[in-house]
Amino acid sequence: MTQATTDVAAYTRSLVGYGYRADDYYEVGREKIREYARAVQDYGPVHRWEEVAAEYGYPAVVAPPTFLSIPAMLANRRLFERVITGYDVYVQTDQVFEFYRPVVSGDRLVSDVEVTAVRTVAGKDLITVTNTFADESGAVVHIMHTTALGVTGADLDSGIGNAIERVIMHGIQAPSAAAGLSEAELLAAAPPRNRNRSDVVRNRALHNVIRFDDVAVGDVLPGRTVRLTRGDLVNYAGVAGDANPIHWHEGVAALAGLPDVIAHGMLTMALGAGSVTEWLGDPGALVRYAVRLSNYAVVEAASPSAVEFGGRIKSLDPHTRTAVVVIGAKSAGRKIFGLATAEVRLA
């Protein structure tokens, strides 16, 4: 590293408010939706067939709730490869999805990227990045807040940098320890701001959704067990564009202090969202989804790993006919989600 840890933290805090608009729009493709739905084991027919989506009132096949993590990763690449510096590895800790309009095939979305918070807890820097996605009319369809822990070489095996460089996918840069933006560049960068948020999610007619009058606080959702193999992780990495080798390379995982290869945090989040929308009946009735990761799911080479999902209704609002669902996830007896909630509309 070329900077002392204290300088890295100070520089990272100076980035709060820095932002930009991604260079190009992201066009949502039907086949990409299908690939992603298969990768996250979401078998809802609205993610695959136009005629079913039309029955639900959609103009095209619908993207699963966490689909926009793909263009977010593309839009954020510039930030994590060239702007935020001094860290060797990033570990995702929290994710919040705010839904304003369902994303469908054919959408052309632009992403505004902004560093919205940096805080230091127990000597570790937690960095929150917000992606705001807007459609061609300028209406916000989705806002995503990602919090990641910046880890420096002092907390890692000294050989991890070289190991990552040897195996990482071409075209992807490892996190940089080089000097970042100058003060002048920081002052010149102001994130674009979209304020016109679509109201489709809260106002569209619902189809095949659980009725508000048929549920009560404390009701338990049907459980769901998902099995993950190394092949599932490799497939998800390719579909989602997450090139981090801790999800498929045992040697790099060991250098990072992990017991074995682990499932992507975003993959487990997508599986959790799918368990809710499968019960709910219509993915477009999901208003907000938030997950704090507390542990990881180890995926061994010899056999599949099971992740068990469950949920219960925490609260109901009769005025908006919405419910807040608490979601649990466990693997090998360990809690994967520290706190996970979904706000949903009911019929």
Side-chain angles (χ1 to χ4, degrees):
M1 291 179 56
T2 59
Q3 298 165 290
T5 302
T6 53
D7 292 336
V8 170
Y11 168 71
T12 305
R13 286 192 293 271
S14 76
L15 292 172
V16 174
Y18 171 84
Y20 56 88
R21 174 161 288 177
D23 294 334
D24 197 3
Y25 63 83
Y26 181 88
E27 184 162 355
V28 180
R30 182 184 72 161
E31 298 311 315
K32 191 67 175 181
I33 288 175
R34 289 175 167 179
E35 287 179 3
Y36 184 82
R38 183 171 64 248
V40 300
Q41 303 186 34
D42 191 335
Y43 304 115
V46 296
H47 304 314
R48 185 166 181 81
W49 304 112
E50 285 88 348
E51 57 268 30
V52 177
E55 292 175 4
Y56 281 65
Y58 297 110
V61 294
V62 185
T66 58
F67 177 86
L68 289 189
S69 60
I70 298 174
M73 185 168 293
L74 292 172
N76 295 348
R77 186 170 294 168
R78 168 176 151 191
L79 182 68
F80 286 102
E81 289 182 356
R82 295 167 45 195
V83 179
I84 299 178
T85 61
Y87 303 101
D88 296 279
V89 174
Y90 296 97
V91 179
Q92 185 181 21
T93 61
D94 296 75
Q95 193 81 25
V96 178
F97 302 85
E98 301 173 13
F99 305 99
Y100 298 97
R101 173 174 75 71
V103 172
V104 299
S105 173
D107 274 336
R108 290 184 171 184
L109 306 177
V110 294
S111 176
D112 294 339
V113 181
E114 182 179 2
V115 181
T116 46
V118 176
R119 56 195 176 94
T120 302
V121 177
K124 307 295 184 184
D125 299 330
L126 289 164
I127 306 156
T128 300
V129 177
T130 297
N131 291 89
T132 302
F133 290 94
D135 62 19
E136 291 179 286
S137 74
V140 172
V141 303
H142 191 117
I143 298 178
M144 183 186 309
H145 310 276
T146 305
T147 300
L149 179 73
V151 181
T152 64
D155 301 306
L156 300 167
D157 188 287
S158 59
I160 192 168
N162 290 333
I164 290 175
E165 289 181 3
R166 286 196 300 271
V167 302
I168 199 166
M169 183 179 74
H170 288 95
I172 302 293
Q173 294 181 24
S176 172
L181 298 181
S182 68
E183 185 175 352
E185 288 172 313
L186 286 174
L187 292 174
R193 304 211 180 254
N194 291 301
R195 292 290 181 242
N196 177 28
R197 301 183 182 185
S198 175
D199 60 2
V200 172
V201 161
R202 290 192 178 271
N203 293 312
R204 64 179 287 270
L206 299 176
H207 182 88
N208 195 35
V209 173
I210 296 290
R211 286 177 44 81
F212 184 88
D213 296 333
D214 293 339
V215 298
V217 172
D219 282 358
V220 177
L221 276 62
R224 182 191 185 203
T225 299
V226 175
R227 299 194 179 280
L228 294 173
T229 67
R230 291 283 180 88
D232 292 321
L233 302 193
V234 172
N235 181 57
Y236 179 82
V239 171
D242 188 337
N244 193 332
I246 65 172
H247 303 302
W248 48 268
H249 193 286
E250 295 173 359
V252 174
L255 291 173
L258 298 168
D260 207 330
V261 165
I262 64 171
H264 306 72
M266 191 63 73
L267 172 56
T268 59
M269 292 182 200
L271 295 168
S275 70
V276 174
T277 57
E278 183 178 27
W279 162 79
L280 186 61
D282 184 346
L286 189 58
V287 177
R288 187 178 186 272
Y289 179 49
V291 179
R292 173 166 296 167
L293 296 170
S294 63
N295 217 318
Y296 42 73
V298 173
V299 180
E300 299 176 348
S303 61
S305 294
V307 184
E308 301 170 354
F309 294 93
R312 63 177 177 81
I313 297 176
K314 177 184 179 182
S315 63
L316 293 165
D317 187 333
H319 300 291
T320 59
R321 298 182 74 82
T322 58
V324 174
V325 177
V326 177
I327 307 155
K330 289 185 178 180
S331 178
R334 296 185 301 271
K335 288 181 62 175
I336 304 301
F337 295 168
L339 176 64
T341 58
E343 180 185 353
V344 302
R345 287 182 63 204
L346 302 176

